[in-house]
Amino acid sequence: MSPAEQRSVTQARVDSWIWAVRLFKTRSAAAEACRAGHVRVNGTTAKPAQSVRPGDEIRIRHSGLERIVVVERIIHKRVGPPIAAQCLIDRSPPPPPKEVLATLPQRDRGAGRPTKRERRETDRLMGRID
């Protein structure tokens, strides 16, 4: 086996790996999340082509929640859910209870962007500005 072939078995691109283990629906969505800064590998922001190896911790911010996974095995092709589950260790915190989500303020659908006055009121309510 050549050195290039050995390297491909022990490492993969981060966007390809998180797509292959079904953390994102498409590879382009995974690459876009990397470019937007929503993917971190071992605590540093990852570009789509960054290599991952077994033992690396990947933190993904997706749909308002944080997923924390540890690379158990490298794969390059998308596989079924049972095999994908064997390739990672999920250390994500449990999602917040529905009661907590219901108490968070939400803007009415179609209300548009908040005005400067509304944003300041929201900041005061959240304790960001005195």
Side-chain angles (χ1 to χ4, degrees):
M1 196 180 290
S2 71
E5 290 172 343
Q6 287 177 344
R7 187 171 42 252
S8 68
V9 173
T10 61
Q11 63 186 15
R13 288 174 55 115
V14 68
D15 64 337
S16 175
W17 189 84
I18 61 178
W19 164 76
V21 296
R22 299 176 164 266
L23 295 175
F24 281 92
K25 201 168 192 173
T26 63
R27 182 162 174 199
S28 60
E32 183 59 37
C34 292
R35 282 192 290 276
H38 300 298
V39 178
R40 299 173 73 82
V41 176
N42 296 326
T44 60
T45 305
K47 292 184 178 179
Q50 182 172 338
S51 296
V52 292
R53 295 186 171 98
D56 285 349
E57 180 187 71
I58 300 175
R59 291 177 176 257
I60 301 168
R61 192 94 179 132
H62 186 49
S63 303
L65 299 173
E66 186 172 36
R67 296 279 314 260
I68 303 169
V69 295
V70 176
V71 179
E72 184 73 14
R73 194 171 78 192
I74 297 295
I75 56 173
H76 297 281
K77 302 280 184 179
R78 193 165 170 98
V79 294
I83 298 170
Q86 296 171 358
C87 297
L88 58 91
I89 300 169
D90 193 356
R91 294 192 177 151
S92 303
K98 292 181 181 177
E99 296 83 29
V100 172
L101 291 176
T103 61
L104 294 175
Q106 284 190 330
R107 197 158 168 78
D108 293 333
R109 187 172 177 92
R113 192 169 168 178
T115 63
K116 195 171 193 177
R117 181 180 181 182
E118 291 172 335
R119 184 185 53 80
R120 285 180 179 153
E121 289 172 355
T122 304
D123 287 345
R124 279 191 203 97
L125 181 67
M126 300 297 275
R128 291 182 233 165
I129 296 178
D130 295 322

